[in-house]
Amino acid sequence: MTPQRYYKPELDVLRLCAFLFVFFTHRMDLAPIDPAKNYWAYHLSLVGVFGVPLFFFLSAFLITELLSREQEYSGKINVKAFYTRRILRIWPLYFTFFFGMVLVTHLSDKFGYISSGTQMAFSLFSGNWYITFNGWLPSYPINPLWSISFEEQLYILLPLLVFYTGKRGLKLFSFLALLAAYSTIIYYAQKPTAGFSGEWTNSFVQFQFFAAGILLSVYLKGWQPQLHVVARVALFITGLICWLLASMVCEVHADSPHLETIPQAIGGWLLILAGVILFFFSLYGSQPKNMPAPLAYLGRISYGMYVFHITIFWLVYQVFKDELASFSTMIGLYEWKNNVGFVIAFLVTVIISLLSYNFFEKPFLRIKKRFTIIPSRD
């Protein structure tokens, strides 16, 4: 029998939403929003960083679904084929970009510097741990790669868990991961800091989102909610409210100073997790015909958009800041130059990601199909 294709365009749209959340947040690193003048724009942008956990959740859910369906179809998990697929999807762009930036930083001082220790850590997909113990890197454009290091850690573990322990082992691992996550959160809450604490990039903290994605896949067993569009909009808005409460009330601010109490910390992270799950159900099970193809396509290329966007922000707001100011003056929007830069950065990010996906990533994806058991979006 030919295995049934598993592709959910609504999850690509949700992946685009996750990227846009992150994109709005990272803009503030270089073009801050004044909370006194734009209160809600500031706070809505600030919670965008929680789009990263949404990425983690989606990865865990989709990988678990595909592995479970592979096991049902063939009676086993082909671990070698899984690793090959992940390597072909992640490694070409990741290593090309990373070592490209290493070369650029050797040739120019406009992008900071990348130490030998950083090169070793990111080459071994332990970049998140390097940042946890050493702080954010002097080369701003490579900082977001910490999340890819973290995802690779899941990709190493998950097929082995399914192969050796099945769904029972997945459940046990996920509940232990949740326990470890909140134990680590309590540890950080007991040691408040006025600077970077390392909590945000700590694998044990972020594993809760992988655990949630795995558990939902296991317990849903392919079930999909059939909800009215009004209910889906309500879920999406409620998810956003959860994130705002986590940030504004519980004061969980990702890499910002961590001064929250233990109840604040636990409540805040639970609200982030609840928001992620609500966003998921706001789209999961939607009819494919209701998902705009352009948005799904942008979600499909969101890996490249995530890798490139910080570099584009850096170019727009730092390297070419004088040119941006001149252009904004020329079109009569000098007071809005940060917003002009935002639009330029987004358009350039999309264009570069389209070129990367079609001319660089696709050849590897075609090879990846040879190792695919359950057909998916690629």
Side-chain angles (χ1 to χ4, degrees):
M1 292 177 60
T2 302
Q4 185 176 359
R5 181 172 183 255
Y6 182 78
Y7 174 57
K8 308 292 295 175
E10 68 269 28
L11 298 187
D12 269 339
V13 173
L14 189 56
R15 187 177 279 104
L16 173 62
C17 290
F19 168 75
L20 291 175
F21 283 133
V22 174
F23 193 75
F24 273 86
T25 289
H26 284 165
R27 165 254 169 89
M28 292 208 304
D29 292 341
L30 298 172
I33 295 174
D34 185 350
K37 296 180 180 179
N38 300 285
Y39 182 82
W40 285 110
Y42 171 80
H43 284 288
L44 287 169
S45 294
L46 193 64
V47 301
V49 73
F50 302 144
V52 174
L54 181 54
F55 272 125
F56 295 154
F57 175 92
L58 286 171
S59 292
F61 179 85
L62 288 167
I63 293 298
T64 306
E65 278 290 315
L66 291 171
L67 288 175
S68 298
R69 290 165 188 269
E70 178 182 336
Q71 191 170 48
E72 291 171 5
Y73 170 72
S74 59
K76 62 179 181 179
I77 298 296
N78 189 326
V79 176
K80 181 179 178 181
F82 175 85
Y83 288 147
T84 304
R85 293 195 300 271
R86 289 297 87 199
I87 287 171
L88 289 168
R89 181 67 190 103
I90 302 298
W91 289 21
L93 181 58
Y94 175 87
F95 283 114
T96 300
F97 176 80
F98 179 72
F99 285 106
M101 288 305 304
V102 170
L103 177 61
V104 167
T105 55
H106 274 85
L107 299 175
S108 170
D109 61 357
K110 293 182 182 294
F111 295 88
Y113 68 92
I114 301 173
S115 68
S116 57
T118 302
Q119 292 178 43
M120 178 66 73
F122 279 80
S123 296
L124 298 175
F125 294 109
S126 56
N128 67 305
W129 285 114
Y130 188 87
I131 292 173
T132 295
F133 294 113
N134 296 283
W136 293 113
L137 305 171
S139 181
Y140 183 70
I142 68 167
N143 275 312
L145 298 185
W146 75 266
S147 64
I148 298 172
S149 289
F150 176 58
E151 284 197 336
E152 286 295 288
Q153 294 162 27
L154 171 74
Y155 297 150
I156 292 170
L157 290 173
L158 202 51
L160 296 176
L161 280 169
V162 177
F163 183 85
Y164 288 110
T165 66
K167 291 185 177 179
R168 184 173 297 178
L170 278 179
K171 293 177 186 177
L172 178 61
F173 165 78
S174 299
F175 286 120
L176 288 175
L178 287 169
L179 178 62
Y182 284 89
S183 297
T184 308
I185 287 166
I186 291 171
Y187 167 82
Y188 277 107
Q190 291 176 319
K191 298 178 179 295
T193 174
F196 177 72
S197 71
E199 181 179 10
W200 180 247
T201 56
N202 189 304
S203 292
F204 292 112
V205 173
Q206 297 291 349
F207 258 129
Q208 63 179 298
F209 303 105
F210 281 166
I214 291 169
L215 288 172
L216 267 185
S217 174
V218 170
Y219 283 110
L220 288 179
K221 299 177 181 178
W223 176 81
Q224 301 176 58
Q226 304 299 314
L227 302 174
H228 191 275
V229 64
V230 174
R232 294 190 181 279
V233 171
L235 287 174
F236 194 94
I237 293 173
T238 306
L240 189 57
I241 291 172
C242 285
W243 283 4
L244 286 168
L245 290 172
S247 176
M248 299 173 71
V249 177
C250 298
E251 299 182 22
V252 177
H253 294 151
D255 60 337
S256 298
H258 289 260
L259 302 173
E260 66 269 11
T261 64
I262 291 177
Q264 278 181 302
I266 294 174
W269 282 100
L270 284 173
L271 282 166
I272 296 168
L273 179 58
V276 165
I277 294 172
L278 287 167
F279 283 125
F280 173 75
F281 280 114
S282 73
L283 286 179
Y284 185 59
S286 299
Q287 292 296 317
K289 65 181 181 181
N290 295 329
M291 294 295 105
L295 298 186
Y297 185 80
L298 288 177
R300 181 176 295 191
I301 66 170
S302 61
Y303 173 43
M305 292 166 68
Y306 181 81
V307 168
F308 293 123
H309 79 283
I310 285 287
T311 305
I312 305 305
F313 269 141
W314 186 261
L315 287 168
V316 170
Y317 286 123
Q318 287 294 317
V319 178
F320 294 108
K321 59 183 178 182
D322 293 335
E323 288 80 358
L324 172 63
S326 297
F327 177 73
S328 301
T329 301
M330 182 182 71
I331 62 175
L333 293 173
Y334 181 79
E335 295 300 323
W336 292 73
K337 64 180 182 298
N338 286 343
N339 295 323
V340 172
F342 178 83
V343 173
I344 292 172
F346 180 75
L347 293 176
V348 173
T349 298
V350 170
I351 291 169
I352 290 178
S353 301
L354 282 168
L355 294 173
S356 171
Y357 182 77
N358 285 288
F359 298 105
F360 179 72
E361 298 168 60
K362 266 192 174 180
F364 295 101
L365 296 178
R366 283 193 286 268
I367 301 172
K368 174 177 173 280
K369 286 184 178 180
R370 302 175 191 173
F371 300 91
T372 297
I373 289 89
I374 304 298
S376 58
R377 64 177 183 173
D378 293 322

